[in-house]
């Protein structure tokens, strides 16, 4: 019952635009989204794979202003694969959609280096066994999953420190 009362108190604070209430609900939102992402990333680690043909793997440019340093970059891919005699096409590189600035695009290049190729030049495609049209070229590693989890609890840790540790 105390938990419900605490949630109600945080709701009233947030409705009155109090920083503590807003920070609490922001932290809760980030936590829920982060945990969902962690669960999804763990599930994809158990997806089967097949080999397919890679048609494109590059950095796509977004927000094309006058200065190249203001552009955002994201990986773009197109690959074709076959599961149980049915042909599919995929465009997703990773379960994490990452859009970065011009200065950080080296991270996307590093991500693309994790795409696995067979000796005959085919690309490894991980697909959802219950819905084979959903696929990725890279599955999340343990370090990436751990980082996602840590980022999901970070706002709550900061909230706790701000409102319960330093004010005691």
């Amino acid at each position: 019952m105390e938990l419900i009362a605490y949630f109600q108190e945080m709701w009233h604070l947030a409705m009155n635009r109090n920083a503590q209430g807003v920070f609490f609900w922001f932290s809760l939102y980030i936590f829920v989204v982060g945990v969902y992402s962690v669960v999804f990333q763990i599930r994809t680690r158990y997806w089967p794979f097949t080999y397919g043909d890679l048609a494109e793997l590059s950095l796509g440019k977004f927000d094309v202003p006058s200065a190249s340093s203001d552009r955002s970059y994201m990986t773009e891919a197109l690959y074709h694969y076959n599961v149980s005699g049915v042909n599919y096409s995929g465009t997703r590189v990773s379960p994490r959609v990452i859009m970065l600035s011009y200065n950080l695009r080296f991270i996307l290049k590093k991500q693309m280096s994790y795409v696995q190729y067979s000796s005959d030049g085919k690309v490894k495609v991980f697909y959802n066994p219950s819905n084979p049209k959903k696929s990725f070229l890279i599955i999340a590693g343990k370090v990436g999953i751990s980082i996602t989890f840590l980022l999901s609890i970070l706002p709550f840790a900061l909230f706790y420190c701000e409102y319960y540790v330093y004010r005691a």
Side-chain angles (χ1 to χ4, degrees):
M1 202 61 169
E2 290 179 30
L3 184 62
I4 293 172
Y6 186 78
F7 275 52
Q8 288 174 334
E9 179 185 352
M10 290 299 113
W11 181 256
H12 291 297
L13 289 174
M15 290 295 102
N16 291 323
R17 297 184 180 171
N18 180 285
Q20 183 178 0
V22 172
F23 194 4
F24 173 81
W25 289 105
F26 168 78
S27 300
L28 183 62
Y29 174 77
I30 296 297
F31 177 74
V32 169
V33 169
V35 168
Y36 176 80
S37 180
V38 166
V39 169
F40 180 72
Q41 290 176 46
I42 289 171
R43 286 181 56 212
T44 62
R45 288 182 57 81
Y46 297 99
W47 283 7
F49 67 88
T50 187
Y51 288 96
D53 296 312
L54 183 64
E56 177 189 354
L57 182 61
S58 63
L59 291 180
K61 298 176 188 175
F62 296 94
D63 304 326
V64 186
S66 58
S68 63
S69 62
D70 292 338
R71 289 187 182 135
S72 294
Y73 291 82
M74 188 174 160
T75 54
E76 290 183 343
L78 177 61
Y79 50 91
H80 309 283
Y81 59 101
N82 185 296
V83 176
S84 302
V86 179
N87 292 322
Y88 297 98
S89 293
T91 59
R92 298 281 308 272
V93 176
S94 167
R96 287 188 218 94
V97 177
I98 304 172
M99 187 176 288
L100 296 170
S101 71
Y102 175 83
N103 295 328
L104 295 174
R105 69 185 189 278
F106 71 92
I107 295 172
L108 294 172
K109 290 178 182 177
K110 180 68 175 171
Q111 180 190 41
M112 290 189 307
S113 73
Y114 291 117
V115 173
Q116 300 174 37
Y117 295 89
S118 66
S119 59
D120 61 352
K122 300 255 185 204
V123 68
K124 196 179 229 185
V125 178
F126 298 90
Y127 63 91
N128 184 338
S130 60
N131 188 1
K133 68 182 176 183
K134 292 186 178 181
S135 61
F136 301 113
L137 295 178
I138 303 168
I139 55 171
K142 293 176 184 175
V143 172
I145 293 170
S146 300
I147 290 170
T148 302
F149 180 72
L150 290 174
L151 288 174
S152 71
I153 63 171
L154 180 64
F156 263 130
L158 294 173
F159 173 82
Y160 180 77
C161 289
E162 176 66 23
Y163 293 102
Y164 295 100
V165 174
Y166 297 125
R167 296 192 181 196

